[in-house]
Amino acid sequence: MRRGYKWVDRELSLMDPETDWERMVSLYVGHRVPEFALAMMVYPGTMRMMQPGFGSATLAHTSKLETRPHRRFQDGNDFLMAWMVDGLSSAAGRGAAARLNRIHLAIARRTPHLPGNFDDTDDFVYPLVLLATFGDRLQTSLGLPGTSEPMKTAWHRWARTLFRLLERESGPLSDEAFPEDWDAMTAFAVAFESRPYEPTESGHRVATAMMDFFAERWFPAPLRSFGADLTRYLAGERVCRLHRIGWIGPRRERLVRVFLKSAFRAQRLLPDFRTPLPERLRRNRRTNAQLKELEPYRTEPYRTDSYGAPSGNEPAPVEPQRRHECGVRARPKARKSGRPSP
């Protein structure tokens, strides 16, 4: 293993996606994905995930994406590496799922003005479908080869298994329906993104903060406007107009497409990484002291604890008042749950 110039595909070809899907996802993400590609998926992907008004209101309420984006990015990477590289059968993978469940329930208890914000099954299905299919949909939209059939199967098994480890406010998702295969996941994503969503002030504020952070984190000052254009393109025109962060003109869109095509083609030519992605992330990881220097304050009015949950006594946002699909849901009785461990 790890011999030769392009060794990942050779190893993947020896695996059965029905039984080796966990190892396939781990190998692919760990040794094929650069850190920049991870960021390209996380931030524009989050903009897509918060199309429902309750999603953006919850993110705005915790304020972590706005006031502590470096810490939020590192924390998000920790979850993804536990699930994708360590694997969902590992102690790290299952522990990360349990920790996310506790965080969600803690936030839900502290946001009674957002009833049901962690109880819609589709709000759990879509992020996992997006994580699994985003790269394929992007590359095929650029006229490039997409994900191989064995990896499609592996990604579907991964997303379905993680879904069953998660919990909503009213209970576990283990018995809820999940798209039955890759094509069903893609169809679900298209349908979810085609629903009529209403713009919100919280969506605009959080999307703007994410776009600015992505551009500042990955591009020098003269190229930050291009970084913002790249974020917009990856989020999609419909999402950008929903969050009112502007769309790019035809000439700038062509420039972004040329950049992305060149990046994907270069990745196909460059050697596979011998150093696993988690180790590469650790090399660039900021310490708590560095994070405090970068993010020394928290913007009012929302005060949050170390888990990103509101700390209490904060004013409630006035929007959105209801889910656009089916109105306000009765908030289920909170189940007992311990505070997440650090």
Side-chain angles (χ1 to χ4, degrees):
M1 189 170 172
R2 302 189 200 178
R3 294 179 180 177
Y5 190 76
K6 301 291 286 186
W7 57 274
V8 169
D9 285 340
R10 183 175 67 250
E11 295 294 330
L12 291 173
S13 68
L14 301 175
M15 299 181 189
D16 181 352
E18 293 291 347
T19 57
D20 299 325
W21 58 266
E22 190 172 25
R23 291 172 55 208
M24 292 175 70
V25 170
S26 176
L27 181 64
Y28 183 89
V29 174
H31 296 278
R32 180 65 64 78
V33 175
E35 184 181 359
F36 180 63
L38 189 67
M40 284 201 309
M41 184 273 296
V42 169
Y43 276 85
T46 303
M47 292 184 192
R48 290 171 178 253
M49 294 173 197
M50 65 181 199
Q51 292 176 82
F54 269 49
S56 59
T58 301
L59 288 171
H61 191 80
T62 67
S63 77
K64 195 171 182 181
L65 279 165
E66 297 173 82
T67 62
R68 294 180 290 168
H70 293 276
R71 187 179 296 276
R72 176 63 169 74
F73 183 62
Q74 289 188 177
D75 290 348
N77 287 345
D78 290 343
F79 280 110
L80 293 177
M81 293 305 97
W83 294 331
M84 293 179 173
V85 181
D86 294 325
L88 295 173
S89 65
S90 69
R94 290 183 174 273
R99 184 160 63 94
L100 184 65
N101 290 334
R102 292 194 296 269
I103 291 172
H104 283 173
L105 291 175
I107 297 173
R109 287 197 300 271
R110 294 180 174 95
T111 52
H113 54 284
L114 298 174
N117 56 337
F118 287 107
D119 207 50
D120 190 328
T121 302
D122 286 358
D123 290 345
F124 289 85
V125 174
Y126 180 70
L128 300 179
V129 165
L130 188 63
L131 286 169
T133 65
F134 182 79
D136 176 81
R137 293 175 67 194
L138 175 59
Q139 291 182 72
T140 54
S141 73
L142 295 168
L144 299 173
T147 304
S148 68
E149 291 302 320
M151 279 305 303
K152 287 180 179 180
T153 300
W155 275 118
H156 172 260
R157 302 298 187 271
W158 175 87
R160 185 180 63 186
T161 302
L162 178 53
F163 174 77
R164 291 173 176 170
L165 293 176
L166 300 178
E167 296 182 8
R168 54 180 177 169
E169 286 182 75
S170 55
L173 291 166
S174 54
D175 295 327
E176 298 295 330
F178 189 82
E180 62 182 8
D181 55 23
W182 176 271
D183 291 338
M185 287 200 304
T186 302
F188 179 92
V190 172
F192 186 93
E193 293 163 359
S194 300
R195 295 175 185 175
Y197 297 109
E198 295 294 330
T200 64
E201 181 57 33
S202 57
H204 169 70
R205 192 168 71 247
V206 176
T208 300
M210 286 191 289
M211 180 175 64
D212 291 346
F213 173 73
F214 179 83
E216 292 172 8
R217 170 68 176 80
W218 293 100
F219 293 88
L223 296 177
R224 282 177 186 163
S225 61
F226 175 79
D229 285 347
L230 176 59
T231 313
R232 292 186 179 100
Y233 182 86
L234 294 171
E237 181 176 1
R238 193 170 186 268
V239 173
C240 290
R241 296 197 185 282
L242 173 69
H243 296 316
R244 293 176 288 117
I245 59 174
W247 183 239
I248 52 181
R251 293 178 64 181
R252 289 154 60 193
E253 182 178 353
R254 285 195 296 271
L255 181 61
V256 171
R257 288 176 62 87
V258 168
F259 170 82
L260 288 171
K261 284 184 178 182
S262 300
F264 281 121
R265 286 169 176 159
Q267 184 183 22
R268 292 180 182 275
L269 295 174
L270 292 171
D272 295 326
F273 293 101
R274 297 183 183 276
T275 303
L277 179 56
E279 186 175 333
R280 285 179 272 136
L281 290 172
R282 281 193 292 270
R283 290 175 180 174
N284 297 322
R285 189 180 183 89
R286 290 178 167 88
T287 65
N288 284 332
Q290 291 172 325
L291 288 172
K292 287 180 180 179
E293 184 176 351
L294 279 170
E295 301 164 346
Y297 61 89
R298 295 178 183 144
T299 301
E300 295 296 339
Y302 306 124
R303 296 184 296 279
T304 61
D305 62 22
S306 60
Y307 304 104
S311 60
N313 301 320
E314 60 276 68
V318 296
E319 54 82 25
Q321 295 296 323
R322 59 185 61 84
R323 282 188 181 272
H324 61 271
E325 294 97 349
C326 52
V328 174
R329 299 185 178 194
R331 178 178 172 82
K333 185 177 180 180
R335 301 186 307 126
K336 292 183 179 180
S337 174
R339 186 180 180 86
S341 57

